[in-house]
Amino acid sequence: MSPSSWGLNARQAWRVANARSGLLRQLPALFKLRIGLVISLTALAGAAVQPGRGPGATALAVLFLAVLVASAAAGAFNQWWEADLDSRMTRTRARPFASGALEPHAGWLVLIGVMALAAGLAAWRATNALAAVHALAGAFVYALVYTVWLKRRNWCNIVVGGLAGSFAVMAGAAAVDPAPALQTLLLALVLFLWTPPHFWSLAIAFRDDYAAAGVPMLPVVKGDRVTARAISAHAWALLVLTVALGVLMGSVVTTLLAAGGGAWFIVEAMRLQRELTRRRAMRSFAASLLELSLVLAGVLIEALRVAV
């Protein structure tokens, strides 16, 4: 082999390595792994609040990964389906399909389907069929009900989309006991009510983007002021429900964390009502995320305390 061919092979190897590296960098955004991790944690929280003897650490770890993979499949499908919308919005135009970094060909649908099937089978083998059904139901709601059916048609899109998080809670609980307890249903309700104000805050901040893309989010259809009032109403309801969850669990830690996170979300929501700016909307968005994080932390900390 001549020295010139060595150089050619080296350049080809570099291009291949660089292309693979670029693909790997796109994967966290493509599969929405940050959102997926939060949803997977809600599955563990569902197992933690459900009374009964759990399936064991290994089975719960598999369920956690199964929910993560199912969520990742739904996230990838969301971006595959919405590449045209994403390319018209400032917030999303850098996503892999919208930016052209990845080609949205039909082969991605095969991968997405395989991921969802593998996630369901893994959850079934590790826990039970009902937990697997709940895990896949959450992905189904996000990918088909929210993304395909509602997002471009009705402002209630994200209201129904909130069921995706609720199903993750039910998946974790079903791994412990197929009959959900009151605190399990309460946590599922919290996830259902938390999702709309979380995304409505973001929708206020990027209302012009959604309007330009023709997506009927609540601020576009009803206006920022109505949306801010809806966010505040949800924030108050979430404070009551999350504190009630902590009390029902008999957990001081969960109650205090829920009260602190819920109160801060209310403060930011009320500030948003008085000052309808992008900055306030993003602070409300962050406060809602902090509230959920504290509630989940409280639930999991209490589960570890009881286990020890």
Side-chain angles (χ1 to χ4, degrees):
M1 184 179 293
S2 67
S4 60
S5 64
W6 294 346
L8 179 60
N9 288 338
R11 287 194 296 273
Q12 290 174 337
W14 169 257
R15 292 192 192 100
V16 171
N18 194 46
R20 289 175 178 173
S21 176
L23 177 60
L24 289 176
R25 286 196 298 270
Q26 296 291 340
L27 293 183
L30 173 63
F31 293 120
K32 297 189 175 183
L33 292 184
R34 285 184 296 181
I35 297 174
L37 286 172
V38 173
I39 293 175
S40 299
L41 285 175
T42 65
L44 293 185
V49 300
Q50 178 70 23
R53 185 175 180 178
T58 301
L60 286 178
V62 173
L63 179 63
F64 176 91
L65 292 174
V67 172
L68 179 61
V69 171
S71 173
F77 177 83
N78 171 268
Q79 293 190 54
W80 184 88
W81 184 267
E82 294 185 348
D84 60 325
L85 289 183
D86 287 345
S87 65
R88 298 200 296 268
M89 296 176 62
T90 304
R91 184 177 67 87
T92 57
R93 64 178 51 158
R95 286 176 173 174
F97 290 140
S99 67
L102 297 177
E103 181 186 351
H105 54 72
W108 286 104
L109 292 182
V110 177
L111 175 62
I112 290 166
V114 169
M115 289 173 63
L117 179 61
L121 289 175
W124 188 1
R125 290 292 302 272
T127 56
N128 56 55
L130 184 58
V133 167
H134 283 314
L136 292 179
F140 174 85
V141 166
Y142 184 74
L144 297 180
V145 177
Y146 168 69
T147 299
V148 176
W149 180 32
L150 290 176
K151 186 168 182 179
R152 303 187 194 220
R153 291 181 172 87
N154 196 290
W155 69 265
C156 288
N157 46 25
I158 202 61
V159 177
V160 179
L163 285 172
S166 300
F167 275 119
V169 172
M170 300 302 291
V176 177
D177 189 331
L182 178 58
Q183 54 262 47
T184 298
L185 297 175
L186 193 56
L187 182 58
L189 179 60
V190 165
L191 265 295
F192 177 68
L193 292 177
W194 173 85
T195 305
H198 177 68
F199 282 97
W200 284 337
S201 298
L202 193 66
I204 289 177
F206 293 93
R207 175 173 46 81
D208 292 343
D209 262 7
Y210 283 110
V215 180
M217 298 299 287
L218 186 59
V220 176
V221 176
K222 301 292 184 179
D224 291 350
R225 195 163 301 281
V226 170
T227 306
R229 287 199 295 266
I231 291 170
S232 292
H234 278 73
W236 280 103
L238 286 167
L239 174 64
V240 172
L241 291 173
T242 54
V243 169
L245 174 64
V247 172
L248 189 61
M249 291 174 60
S251 170
V252 175
V253 173
T254 305
T255 303
L256 291 177
L257 289 177
W264 185 247
F265 186 23
I266 288 173
V267 167
E268 290 298 340
M270 297 298 287
R271 286 174 174 170
L272 176 60
Q273 274 193 261
R274 294 193 299 269
E275 186 184 337
L276 289 169
T277 63
R278 180 173 181 174
R279 173 175 171 271
R280 284 297 178 197
M282 291 307 297
R283 287 182 67 90
S284 175
F285 175 81
S288 67
L289 188 58
L290 175 64
E291 179 189 30
L292 181 63
S293 299
L294 289 176
V295 170
L296 295 179
V299 168
L300 295 175
I301 289 170
E302 178 64 20
L304 288 174
R305 186 191 68 81
V306 171
V308 172

